[in-house]
């Protein structure tokens, strides 16, 4: 038996509890894992509260990220004792996830824990940090280099934004952080931002083409912020779009794309193939100083605390990342 957050649904609605689960109930998969840590992402908050139909099958164990030790494997890449990381792949939505002491997964989903981080640090990074690394890789692979000028990061104090600021700064880029929290200037500068702008400068409808400022952009906000970021991107610059914190709408014109050759690069972390996943974790290992994880901060909670934390997370009451010690 092991402990797991278990979401059930019947005609009277959704229930969620920390339950004792028999190992025989674990779903199919070729790698069984003793989970050490998981995290709470926005998506996990939606799953636990049931406020959005994230969960596609019941009963479900939420948790889109996990790190742990392989107990048993019939997959060629993994053997008992390996430390593995899982981000996404629909885990916690269609397949039992990380908010449990045990998990059974398809070995193709897994990547090795990089030497640079402890298991706990890997979860402090989580999907948010791994997505930030995918965004930076997308820009660099497009050909953006530090000598081309300033790079804008929107949603800068968020999970994705904070790690993007740190990774870009370490890679030599001049980073301008757009935030709604003027009080977090010192925090963003500690992460490596050179300057801060008020996110309100970007959040309203603007002209289709604006003064060229950014060599590149990492955007986790969407809506008019993304539209304006494209309109302010320099000739042949690139914009990596991964989020919708302001909104999923994108009421843009094609002008930046057809007159300035701006590239809009979509970034998805969930179904990303193995090669970009490994590359993203290598970038994190190389360019994210583990000491900055202390600056980004956060809270550590146990399995039973995830249920009340889910509502707080959705209400924006939690600063920094939430690491879940599933054995606490
Ligand atoms: P967080 O909630 O940690 O951060 C989002 C940040 O966006 C906030 O901290 C805030 O930054 C800013 N923000 C919030 N509301 C608004 C608003 N109305 N207008 C403008 N800015 C706003 O989320 P994450 O960083 O974890 O995720 C960011 C986005 O990326 C989310 O939409 C998430 O769903 C998406 N995502 C996508 C992934 C993918 O695979 N494509 C993977 C992971 C996340 P500030 O206060 O500094 O302005």
């Amino acid at each position: 038996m092991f402990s797991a957050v278990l979401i059930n649904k019947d005609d009277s609605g959704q229930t969620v509890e920390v339950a004792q689960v028999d190992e025989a109930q674990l779903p199919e998969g070729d790698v069984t894992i003793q989970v050490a840590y998981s995290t709470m992402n926005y998506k996990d908050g939606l799953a636990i509260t049931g406020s959005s139909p994230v969960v596609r099958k019941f009963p479900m164990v939420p948790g889109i990220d996990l790190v742990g030790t392989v107990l048993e494997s019939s997959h060629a890449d993994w053997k008992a004792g390996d430390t593995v990381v899982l981000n996404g792949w629909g885990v916690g939505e269609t397949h039992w996830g990380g908010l449990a002491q045990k998990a059974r997964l398809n070995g193709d989903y897994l990547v090795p824990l990089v030497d640079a981080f402890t298991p706990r640090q890997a979860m402090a990074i989580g999907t948010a940090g791994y997505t930030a690394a995918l965004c930076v890789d997308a820009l660099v692979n497009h050909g953006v280099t530090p000598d081309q000028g300033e790079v804008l990061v929107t949603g800068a104090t968020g999970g994705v934004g904070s790690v993007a600021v740190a990774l870009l700064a370490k890679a030599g880029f001049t980073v301008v952080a757009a935030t709604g929290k003027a009080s977090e200037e010192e925090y963003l500068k500690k992460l490596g931002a050179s300057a801060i702008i008020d996110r309100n400068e970007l959040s309203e409808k603007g002209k289709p083409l604006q003064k060229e400022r950014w060599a590149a952009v990492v955007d986790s906000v969407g809506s008019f912020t993304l539209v304006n970021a494209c309109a302010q991107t320099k000739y042949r610059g690139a914009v990596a779009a991964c989020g919708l914190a302001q909104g999923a709408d994108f009421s843009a014109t094609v002008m930046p794309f057809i007159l300035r050759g701006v590239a809009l690069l979509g970034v998805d972390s969930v179904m990303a193939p193995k090669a970009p996943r490994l590359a993203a974790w290598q970038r994190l290992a190389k360019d994210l100083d583990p000491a900055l994880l202390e600056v980004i901060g956060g809270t550590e909670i146990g399995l039973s605390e995830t249920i009340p934390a889910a509502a707080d997370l959705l209400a924006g009451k939690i600063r920094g990342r939430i690491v879940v010690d599933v054995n606490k």
Side-chain angles (χ1 to χ4, degrees):
M1 301 293 277
F2 64 94
S3 301
V5 176
L6 205 62
I7 305 173
N8 265 297
K9 196 174 188 178
D10 60 21
D11 293 345
S12 55
Q14 177 170 310
T15 58
V16 54
E17 59 174 341
V18 177
Q20 287 301 303
V21 181
D22 193 322
E23 204 173 312
Q25 284 180 260
L26 279 170
E28 278 187 25
D30 48 14
V31 183
T32 306
I33 299 161
Q34 182 78 51
V35 181
Y37 292 97
S38 183
T39 61
M40 290 278 287
N41 293 279
Y42 196 79
K43 209 181 248 179
D44 304 314
L46 294 175
I48 290 173
T49 58
S51 46
S52 179
V54 169
V55 175
R56 307 286 172 178
K57 264 197 218 167
F58 297 90
M60 179 56 60
V61 174
I64 68 167
D65 289 315
L66 68 83
V67 62
T69 307
V70 173
L71 291 171
E72 278 176 15
S73 166
S74 58
H75 189 283
D77 291 354
W78 310 110
K79 59 177 188 326
D82 288 343
T83 308
V84 291
V85 172
L86 176 283
N87 305 110
W89 287 117
V91 170
E93 301 174 65
T94 56
H95 189 99
W96 283 16
L99 291 174
Q101 290 172 316
K102 285 192 180 164
R104 184 169 293 144
L105 298 167
N106 179 340
D108 292 340
Y109 294 171
L110 304 168
V111 295
L113 175 69
V114 291
D115 289 342
F117 304 120
T118 63
R120 191 185 180 287
Q121 287 169 338
M123 287 298 101
I125 294 167
T127 281
Y130 145 66
T131 302
L134 287 174
C135 289
V136 176
D137 279 343
L139 298 176
V140 170
N141 293 341
H142 183 76
V144 180
T145 51
D147 57 304
Q148 291 168 358
E150 294 172 313
V151 177
L152 173 68
V153 175
T154 65
T157 67
V160 174
S162 296
V163 176
V165 169
L167 290 176
L168 286 162
K170 186 71 193 302
F173 291 93
T174 304
V175 183
V176 176
T179 182
K181 303 186 186 85
S183 57
E184 298 288 1
E185 177 163 356
E186 194 188 331
Y187 166 74
L188 290 165
K189 289 198 164 159
K190 262 192 204 155
L191 294 181
S194 299
I196 310 297
I197 61 169
D198 186 332
R199 77 183 192 198
N200 289 332
E201 289 179 31
L202 294 160
S203 60
E204 303 293 330
K205 188 172 170 34
K207 290 187 183 158
L209 285 175
Q210 301 171 31
K211 189 168 182 300
E212 292 177 58
R213 177 160 184 193
W214 317 114
V217 180
V218 172
D219 177 66
S220 60
V221 168
S223 191
F224 287 123
T225 299
L226 175 59
V227 176
N228 289 321
C230 291
Q232 295 173 9
T233 296
K234 288 185 189 179
Y235 191 77
R236 288 181 75 84
V239 179
C242 72
L244 39 63
Q246 183 182 355
D249 54 300
F250 184 61
S251 305
T253 76
V254 297
M255 293 309 187
F257 313 119
I258 66 169
L259 295 181
R260 292 183 180 161
V262 169
L264 182 54
L265 309 170
V267 173
D268 165 60
S269 67
V270 180
M271 302 307 286
K274 194 148 184 175
R277 282 173 191 268
L278 292 170
W281 277 103
Q282 285 306 321
R283 176 175 292 281
L284 289 159
K286 179 168 70 71
D287 284 349
L288 184 65
D289 179 354
L292 284 183
L293 292 172
E294 299 306 318
V295 176
I296 292 170
T299 37
E300 183 179 306
I301 61 175
L303 271 189
S304 61
E305 294 160 284
T306 58
I307 297 168
D312 288 346
L313 181 67
L314 298 189
K317 288 187 191 161
I318 293 173
R319 189 190 183 284
R321 303 271 306 144
I322 305 174
V323 173
V324 182
D325 179 346
V326 299
N327 298 301
K328 205 156 86 171

